[in-house]
Amino acid sequence: MAYPRYLSFDTSKDIKVEDIYKTNPKVLDDIDQLIFMAQKHGLHVSLNLHRGPGYCINAGFHEPFNLWKDKAAQDAFNFHWSMWAERFKNISSDKLSFDLLNEPAYIEDMNDQFAKKGRFRAISTTGY
């Protein structure tokens, strides 16, 4: 899902940094109900952020920051996943899993559909 779906902000305007933490309790409850309904019918749910604070594989929107460059984006990303983890901490991983980010790639400019994209490389701190 796209995180703005469960925020409370003016959707006719760009997302602002101060909007990132304003979750909409009604929409969060709707998502809860969807997950519980899937469980009731024996389905596994993979909760995925297609769009997370500061990142989406597609552009066509305005993000106030870049997940790979900005601590504020990383803090917001942590806030959102901490919230989901706390909400669903009592659900077995047999029934619910988390896919933190859809198609992670390095993107120089989150707001440019044609910005250069690249892969991440592991950095070794041990010298191996």
Side-chain angles (χ1 to χ4, degrees), residues 26-43:
K26 167 71 171 99
V27 177
L28 294 178
D29 288 345
D30 289 346
I31 294 166
D32 289 351
Q33 291 307 309
L34 178 65
I35 289 171
F36 298 141
M37 181 70 69
Q39 284 184 319
K40 178 180 174 184
H41 293 284
L43 299 173

Side-chain angles (χ1 to χ4, degrees), residues 4-94:
R5 171 69 180 95
Y6 58 84
L7 295 181
S8 292
F9 75 105
D10 183 347
T11 58
S12 69
K13 297 181 180 175
D14 291 340
I15 299 170
K16 294 181 176 54
V17 173
E18 58 269 17
D19 296 328
I20 301 296
Y21 295 95
K22 297 177 185 173
T23 58
N24 181 329
K26 167 71 171 99
V27 177
L28 294 178
D29 288 345
D30 289 346
I31 294 166
D32 289 351
Q33 291 307 309
L34 178 65
I35 289 171
F36 298 141
M37 181 70 69
Q39 284 184 319
K40 178 180 174 184
H41 293 284
L43 299 173
H44 177 93
V45 174
S46 176
L47 188 61
N48 169 276
L49 284 188
H50 178 78
R51 180 176 174 196
Y55 180 81
C56 187
I57 194 65
N58 326 38
F61 53 83
H62 179 81
E63 276 294 329
F65 36 48
N66 184 314
L67 180 60
W68 313 124
K69 296 179 179 181
D70 303 318
K71 184 170 180 345
Q74 294 160 9
D75 291 344
F77 190 80
N78 184 56
F79 166 82
H80 285 264
W81 277 113
S82 293
M83 175 195 67
W84 290 119
E86 181 62 28
R87 281 182 96 82
F88 301 126
K89 68 183 177 187
N90 295 321
I91 297 177
S92 165
S93 61
D94 292 337

